[in-house]
C-alpha cells in the first residue's frame, strides 16, 4: 500500500498520468462527435440551441382561416417522390416531414425536426439522427428508426432519380436503438450527404405498400406533417387540413408557421383563366412571372382599391435565370459551334425593350447576382488548379472573366452578330442556299421546334424565330398546355424549351441532377440539355468535397465556367425580384427570409372564410 501510494506522488504521479493519457489517446482514436441541435454545410448554425423562433416569422401569428392557392396545370398523383404521374408538390412540405428542417435565413443549415439532434464527425464519414420521442404520424403511431431505414431503402430503390442517386451513396445504415439511426458514409467523399439525409422524407413503414409505391395514387398519405389531405377532386383541387394533434406544433422551428386551418390547392389548365380567377378573388395570392402583366395587368378594381396588394421581394439567393435550352441529344444541336451561333442570333436588347420594359438584366452562367457566379470574374488559383485537366475545353476569355454575351444594336437587324453567327455555322458544315441554311453534306434545311406553354414563352420564341430567319434557319413554335409541356420536358421530347433552374447559396448534390452525365440519359432529371461533360462532373465533385468556404466558392465558380463553356443554353434574362400579388385578407411577416417569400409564414387577417367554390 505504501509503495503504491509513493508511486502516485511527485514526479511518479506526473509520469504515470502522462503515460495513461498517451495510452488513452492512442487507443481511443478520434474524439466522438457531440450531438447538436443543427448542422450547417459550412461554418456554424446561426441560431443557438435554445432559440424560440426563426427571425423571418411572426411568432404570434393568428391561427385559423384558409389559404387558397391557384396552380397552373393538373395532377393525377399525391406521391411527389416518384417519376410517374403529375404530383401535388405541396404535399412534400405540408404533409410529409424530414428528420431536419431548413433554416431559411442561411445558405444551408438544418435544424432538428423529427430528429431532435444530429451527430457527425469532422470527416463527415457518418451521421447519426436521434429521433424525437414525441414524433408521431397522423394515425398516432410513433416515428421510429425502423421508419427512417424503411424510407431510405424505399426511396433509394424506388424513388425519383435524385433520391436514388443521393441515398445510393450510403455504405451502411443501422438502428442503434428504436429512436437512433446511423448512416455510414465511408467512401462517399460528399460532405453534403449528412444534410441530404437530414432532408430525406420520412414515410411510415406500416402504411406504405412497396409493391405499388411507384404507381400514381390519389389516396391520402399517412405522414407526420402539420397537415393532412382531407379532400381530392381529381385534376381540379386538393384540400389540406391542419392536424389538431400535430406532434410538432410547439417546436421552435415551427413557431409562426402553418397558421391556416385549411390550405386549398385549386388547379387551372390555362394561364389567362388562372389570372382572371385571381382578379375575382377565387384564390389568395399569385407569384407573377410575366413582366408585361406585372407592369400593366393589375389595373383592375380590387388592385386600385387596395384589396389586392402587390409586394416586391428581393431574396438573397442567386437570381433565378431563364434560358432557352438546347437538347443536345438532338443531332441538330450536337455541335457546339451551332449552339454558339444561335446564342449570337438572339437579340436580347430588342426583346428586353419591347416586351419587358427594360426590367431585366442578362448574365451568362447559372449563379447570377451572387458571389458564386464566375461571369465577369477572372479565375483564381484554386479554380485554375481544378480546371487544369480540362483546360483545352475552357476558352481563355471565360477563364479570364472577359467573356461577355453578345450585345446587339437592338434593331432586330444587327449585322455584326449575324456575320459572326454565319461564320460559325459555315465551320459547322452549313451553307446559305439563297434564304435557306442547308447542311452541306445532305442539303437538308436547318430546322427545329421551340416548345412553349405560356404567353411570355411564346412571345420570346416568336422573336427568336424572326432572328433565326435572317440566318436562313426555320424554327417552328409549338404551344402546348402545361401538362403536355411537363410530360415532354421530363421525357426530353423536345428540340428547344425555355427553362429556369433556381439555385441556392449552397449548391450541392442537386447539381448532378441538373447537369451530371449520369442524369443525361435518365428521364425525370433536370438535365434537360443532356450535358455529358467530365469537367462538369469533376467540379460538382469538388464542391461536395470542399471543407472551407473559399474552396467551395472556387469550386462552384469553376462549375459555372465549365457550364458557360459548354453553350448548353441561351441565357435570356435574370430575375432580381419576386413579384407577389395577394388579397389583403392575407397577412405576411415584415421580415423576409434569405430565400424569399414563404407562404407557410403567412396568416389570415380576419375570421375564417366560408368555403368558396371555383
Amino acid at each position: 500500500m505504501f509503495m503504491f501510494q509513493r508511486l502516485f506522488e511527485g514526479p511518479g504521479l506526473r509520469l504515470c498520468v502522462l503515460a495513461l493519457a498517451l495510452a488513452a489517446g492512442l487507443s481511443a482514436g478520434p474524439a466522438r462527435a457531440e450531438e447538436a441541435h443543427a448542422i450547417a454545410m459550412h461554418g456554424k448554425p446561426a441560431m443557438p440551441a435554445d432559440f424560440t423562433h426563426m427571425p423571418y416569422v411572426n411568432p404570434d401569428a393568428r391561427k385559423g382561416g384558409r389559404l387558397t392557392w391557384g396552380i397552373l396545370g393538373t395532377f393525377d398523383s399525391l406521391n411527389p417522390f416518384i417519376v410517374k404521374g403529375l404530383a401535388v408538390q405541396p404535399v412534400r412540405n405540408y404533409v410529409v416531414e424530414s428528420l431536419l428542417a431548413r433554416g431559411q435565413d442561411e445558405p444551408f443549415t438544418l435544424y432538428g425536426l423529427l430528429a431532435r439532434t444530429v451527430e457527425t464527425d469532422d470527416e463527415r464519414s457518418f451521421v447519426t439522427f436521434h429521433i424525437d420521442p414525441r414524433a408521431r404520424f397522423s394515425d398516432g403511431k410513433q416515428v421510429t428508426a425502423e421508419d427512417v431505414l424503411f424510407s431510405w431503402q424505399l426511396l433509394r430503390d424506388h424513388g425519383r432519380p435524385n433520391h436514388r442517386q443521393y441515398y445510393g451513396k450510403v455504405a451502411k445504415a443501422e438502428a442503434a436503438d428504436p429512436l437512433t439511426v446511423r448512416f455510414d458514409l465511408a467512401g462517399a467523399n460528399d460532405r453534403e450527404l449528412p444534410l441530404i439525409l437530414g432532408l430525406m422524407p420520412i414515410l411510415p413503414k406500416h402504411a406504405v405498400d412497396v409493391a405499388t409505391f411507384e404507381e400514381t395514387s390519389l389516396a391520402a398519405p399517412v405522414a407526420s406533417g402539420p397537415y393532412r389531405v382531407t379532400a381530392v377532386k381529381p385534376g381540379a383541387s386538393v384540400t389540406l387540413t391542419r392536424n389538431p394533434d400535430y406532434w410538432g406544433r410547439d417546436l421552435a422551428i415551427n413557431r409562426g408557421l402553418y397558421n391556416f386551418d385549411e390550405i386549398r390547392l385549386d388547379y387551372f389548365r390555362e394561364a389567362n383563366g388562372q389570372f382572371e380567377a385571381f382578379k375575382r378573388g377565387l384564390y389568395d395570392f399569385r407569384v407573377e412571372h410575366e413582366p408585361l402583366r406585372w407592369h400593366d395587368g393589375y389595373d383592375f378594381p380590387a388592385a386600385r382599391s387596395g384589396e389586392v396588394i402587390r409586394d416586391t421581394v428581393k431574396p438573397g439567393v442567386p437570381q433565378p435565370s431563364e434560358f432557352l435550352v438546347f437538347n443536345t441529344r438532338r443531332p441538330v444541336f450536337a455541335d457546339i459551334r451551332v449552339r454558339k451561333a444561335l446564342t449570337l442570333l438572339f437579340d436580347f436588347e430588342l426583346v428586353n425593350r419591347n416586351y419587358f420594359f427594360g426590367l431585366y438584366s442578362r448574365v451568362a452562367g447559372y449563379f447570377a447576382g451572387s458571389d458564386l457566379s464566375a461571369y465577369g470574374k477572372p479565375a483564381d488559383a484554386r479554380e485554375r488548379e481544378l480546371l487544369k485537366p480540362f483546360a483545352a475545353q475552357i476558352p481563355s476569355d471565360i477563364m479570364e472573366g472577359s467573356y461577355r454575351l453578345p450585345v446587339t444594336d437592338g434593331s432586330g437587324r444587327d449585322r455584326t452578330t449575324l456575320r459572326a453567327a454565319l461564320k460559325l455555322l459555315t465551320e459547322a458544315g452549313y451553307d446559305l442556299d439563297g434564304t435557306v441554311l442547308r447542311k452541306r453534306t445532305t442539303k437538308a434545311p436547318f430546322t427545329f421546334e421551340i416548345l412553349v406553354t405560356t404567353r411570355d414563352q411564346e412571345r420570346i420564341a416568336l422573336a427568336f424565330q424572326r432572328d433565326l430567319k435572317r440566318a436562313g434557319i426555320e424554327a417552328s413554335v409549338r404551344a402546348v398546355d402545361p401538362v403536355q409541356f411537363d410530360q415532354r420536358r421530363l421525357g426530353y421530347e423536345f428540340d428547344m424549351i425555355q427553362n429556369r433552374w433556381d439555385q441556392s447559396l449552397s449548391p450541392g448534390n442537386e447539381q448532378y441532377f441538373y447537369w451530371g452525365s449520369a442524369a443525361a440519359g435518365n428521364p425525370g432529371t433536370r438535365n434537360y440539355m443532356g450535358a455529358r461533360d467530365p469537367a462538369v462532373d469533376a467540379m460538382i465533385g469538388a464542391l461536395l468535397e470542399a471543407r472551407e468556404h473559399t474552396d467551395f466558392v472556387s469550386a462552384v465558380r469553376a462549375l459555372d465556367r465549365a457550364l458557360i463553356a459548354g453553350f448548353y443554353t441561351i441565357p435570356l434574362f435574370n430575375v432580381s425580384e419576386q413579384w407577389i400579388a395577394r388579397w389583403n385578407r392575407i397577412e405576411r411577416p415584415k421580415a423576409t427570409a434569405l430565400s424569399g417569400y414563404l407562404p407557410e409564414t403567412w396568416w389570415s387577417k380576419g375570421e375564417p372564410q366560408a368555403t368558396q367554390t371555383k
Side-chain angles (χ1 to χ4, degrees):
M1 177 69 176
F2 177 77
M3 292 181 63
F4 185 82
Q5 184 177 359
R6 288 288 304 271
L7 181 65
F8 283 87
E9 292 177 353
L13 171 62
R14 290 191 293 272
L15 288 171
C16 285
V17 169
L18 178 61
L20 289 170
L22 288 171
L26 290 172
S27 61
R32 179 179 179 273
E34 294 182 358
E35 294 181 34
H37 72 293
I39 180 173
M41 182 63 196
H42 298 102
K44 296 182 179 180
M47 305 301 291
D50 60 351
F51 78 98
T52 59
H53 64 274
M54 287 296 178
Y56 46 81
V57 306
N58 173 6
D60 301 315
R62 178 185 179 276
K63 302 293 185 183
R66 182 183 67 233
L67 179 68
T68 303
W69 295 36
I71 302 174
L72 187 63
T74 188
F75 67 93
D76 59 11
S77 175
L78 294 181
N79 185 352
F81 310 116
I82 58 174
V83 172
K84 190 173 182 180
L86 297 172
V88 178
Q89 293 300 327
V91 166
R92 173 64 185 91
N93 295 324
Y94 287 89
V95 178
V96 180
E97 288 184 312
S98 302
L99 292 162
L100 307 176
R102 282 184 181 270
Q104 300 289 353
D105 246 8
E106 301 166 69
F108 195 10
T109 299
L110 304 181
Y111 293 84
L113 186 58
L114 284 172
R116 177 181 284 178
T117 58
V118 58
E119 177 184 350
T120 188
D121 60 353
D122 184 62
E123 298 295 326
R124 295 196 174 175
S125 63
F126 77 93
V127 63
T128 299
F129 299 100
H130 303 275
I131 301 170
D132 193 319
R134 300 169 294 177
R136 297 289 187 277
F137 291 110
S138 57
D139 61 2
K141 294 187 181 295
Q142 186 176 29
V143 180
T144 68
E146 190 175 7
D147 295 305
V148 176
L149 292 176
F150 169 77
S151 300
W152 166 67
Q153 293 171 332
L154 178 71
L155 296 170
R156 179 197 63 187
D157 299 338
H158 302 282
R160 295 182 65 84
N162 55 323
H163 292 143
R164 300 186 191 206
Q165 175 186 314
Y166 301 159
Y167 307 148
K169 293 183 178 183
V170 175
K172 181 182 178 183
E174 58 186 356
D177 61 53
L179 294 178
T180 304
V181 181
R182 176 186 167 107
F183 293 94
D184 182 356
L185 313 179
N189 295 321
D190 184 347
R191 296 185 59 77
E192 189 190 40
L193 196 50
L195 287 83
I196 293 295
L197 291 167
L199 288 176
M200 179 172 62
I202 303 304
L203 305 171
K205 182 178 181 180
H206 65 275
V208 175
D209 184 353
V210 177
T212 60
F213 180 73
E214 292 188 63
E215 299 299 318
T216 59
S217 172
L218 293 177
V222 175
S224 64
Y227 289 85
R228 296 176 295 185
V229 177
T230 53
V232 177
K233 292 182 179 179
S237 71
V238 175
T239 300
L240 310 178
T241 303
R242 193 147 56 93
N243 182 1
D245 300 319
Y246 172 50
W247 76 274
R249 62 185 177 185
D250 295 325
L251 295 178
I253 189 67
N254 286 333
R255 189 172 181 190
L257 302 181
Y258 313 121
N259 301 309
F260 296 94
D261 285 342
E262 183 179 288
I263 295 176
R264 176 166 158 165
L265 313 170
D266 283 345
Y267 283 76
F268 298 85
R269 297 295 292 264
E270 192 270 326
N272 288 332
Q274 179 196 28
F275 182 58
E276 291 302 316
F278 176 73
K279 291 164 63 175
R280 293 168 56 196
L282 295 183
Y283 61 95
D284 292 316
F285 77 98
R286 62 181 280 114
V287 181
E288 189 58 72
H289 296 295
E290 296 191 14
L292 177 61
R293 180 174 286 147
W294 186 251
H295 189 268
D296 61 13
Y298 284 81
D299 186 23
F300 54 90
R304 290 195 297 267
S305 69
E307 290 179 271
V308 168
I309 299 169
R310 294 200 294 166
D311 297 322
T312 298
V313 176
K314 290 193 174 184
V317 296
Q319 297 171 1
S321 303
E322 294 280 346
F323 303 88
L324 285 174
V325 183
F326 298 107
N327 186 353
T328 63
R329 303 171 188 86
R330 299 286 207 249
V332 69
F333 295 137
D335 192 319
I336 191 172
R337 293 169 296 187
V338 171
R339 305 197 296 271
K340 287 181 179 179
L342 269 62
T343 300
L344 287 168
L345 290 171
F346 180 75
D347 194 335
F348 167 75
E349 283 66 35
L350 178 68
V351 170
N352 192 37
R353 183 185 70 240
N354 290 351
Y355 296 165
F356 301 142
F357 306 95
L359 292 173
Y360 287 149
S361 59
R362 189 182 188 217
V363 171
Y366 300 83
F367 304 92
S370 76
D371 193 43
L372 302 176
S373 175
Y375 187 65
K377 302 179 183 120
D380 61 27
R382 177 59 178 159
E383 289 178 71
R384 293 180 184 278
E385 180 184 350
L386 290 170
L387 289 169
K388 187 175 182 180
F390 314 100
Q393 69 188 69
I394 312 293
S396 60
D397 57 350
I398 292 177
M399 289 298 295
E400 298 300 332
S402 60
Y403 169 73
R404 295 294 185 274
L405 287 166
V407 177
T408 71
D409 59 15
S411 67
R413 299 180 299 275
D414 190 283
R415 294 185 177 183
T416 303
T417 54
L418 178 61
R419 282 195 297 268
L422 287 173
K423 182 176 184 295
L424 285 167
L425 290 167
T426 300
E427 293 172 1
Y430 291 90
D431 294 314
L432 266 178
D433 179 11
T435 59
V436 178
L437 189 71
R438 298 183 183 276
K439 187 73 173 176
R440 189 174 303 133
T441 54
T442 65
K443 304 303 179 183
F446 190 138
T447 63
F448 67 93
E449 179 184 87
I450 307 174
L451 189 70
V452 302
T453 189
T454 68
R455 181 178 63 171
D456 257 12
Q457 288 182 5
E458 186 172 23
R459 285 156 58 88
I460 290 172
L462 290 172
F464 191 37
Q465 182 186 57
R466 292 191 294 270
D467 296 336
L468 294 167
K469 189 72 174 176
R470 297 175 58 237
I473 298 171
E474 186 65 38
S476 60
V477 178
R478 182 174 181 183
V480 297
D481 63 49
V483 175
Q484 187 177 356
F485 184 85
D486 281 342
Q487 289 173 336
R488 289 185 58 174
R489 178 172 59 176
L490 290 171
Y492 314 134
E493 298 173 3
F494 61 86
D495 297 332
M496 176 179 282
I497 59 170
Q498 184 174 328
N499 190 69
R500 69 184 254 182
W501 289 269
D502 290 343
Q503 295 282 10
S504 73
L505 289 171
S506 183
N509 272 279
E510 78 285 348
Q511 303 301 302
Y512 279 127
F513 193 59
Y514 291 170
W515 4 84
S517 296
N522 197 352
T525 75
R526 295 180 187 171
N527 188 347
Y528 303 123
M529 67 273 284
R532 297 178 185 269
D533 186 344
V536 169
D537 294 339
M539 296 311 104
I540 298 172
L543 70 88
L544 291 174
E545 294 175 13
R547 286 173 170 265
E548 302 298 329
H549 183 67
T550 53
D551 289 342
F552 172 75
V553 171
S554 294
V556 179
R557 288 183 184 175
L559 169 63
D560 203 24
R561 293 184 204 278
L563 289 169
I564 294 171
F567 287 89
Y568 299 110
T569 64
I570 300 174
L572 295 180
F573 52 82
N574 308 110
V575 184
S576 61
E577 301 172 334
Q578 295 173 340
W579 298 326
I580 315 296
R582 58 185 167 93
W583 283 81
N584 64 3
R585 55 184 175 253
I586 302 301
E587 295 278 10
R588 70 179 187 91
K590 294 180 180 179
T592 299
L594 185 72
S595 59
Y597 78 99
L598 295 171
E600 58 267 37
T601 68
W602 300 351
W603 65 93
S604 176
K605 183 177 180 179
E607 294 298 319
Q609 307 163 31
T611 302
Q612 296 176 339
T613 57
K614 190 170 88 172

